[in-house]
Amino acid sequence: MPLNSKPKLVLRRTRKRFNPRILIERTIETTAIVSLLITGFSGVGAMGCWGMEIIETNANPSIIISGWQQQKSICLGAMLVSFSAFLGSSLIGASFSIQRDRF
């Protein structure tokens, strides 16, 4: 090797390979987080509708069925569905981690 020559640095770009396992894990994690957020917001909405229903009933007791009852039922239903989605995604994520750890 001559004294004047410098060693050449060879840069190689490696292609990242698509890993479906990472995509599945991130999707499950995102689903769990979003479903918890929806559960919280639906719970707050249901409590607000419940409060408005009480206020409306005290203000005018002749009205038996109001729109707030239906809105409260919708919020409680959304809360139940999103909490079920959270439990399901957490269970699937836990089963994937158990499979990976080979327990």
Side-chain angles (χ1 to χ4, degrees):
M1 189 174 194
L3 293 175
N4 293 341
S5 68
K6 295 180 181 176
K8 292 183 180 180
L9 181 64
V10 177
L11 294 175
R12 290 186 183 171
R13 279 193 120 163
T14 57
R15 284 184 107 190
K16 287 189 175 183
R17 297 176 73 191
F18 175 71
N19 192 352
R21 186 170 196 84
I22 292 174
L23 176 69
I24 292 170
E25 287 176 357
R26 286 186 182 165
T27 304
I28 291 171
E29 180 181 330
T30 304
T31 303
I33 291 170
V34 168
S35 64
L36 269 182
L37 284 173
I38 291 173
T39 301
F41 286 128
S42 297
V44 170
M47 288 191 327
C49 291
W50 182 44
M52 293 304 289
E53 182 184 354
I54 291 172
I55 291 170
E56 192 174 276
T57 303
N58 289 337
N60 193 358
S62 65
I63 299 175
I64 297 172
I65 298 175
S66 67
W68 293 111
Q69 242 178 352
Q70 293 170 350
Q71 292 295 325
K72 180 179 72 173
S73 297
I74 290 170
C75 287
L76 289 174
M79 198 169 132
L80 179 66
V81 168
S82 60
F83 190 68
S84 298
F86 166 71
L87 290 178
S89 62
S90 298
L91 181 65
I92 291 171
S95 67
F96 276 155
S97 69
I98 288 174
Q99 259 183 354
R100 186 179 53 226
D101 294 340
R102 307 255 182 220
F103 279 117

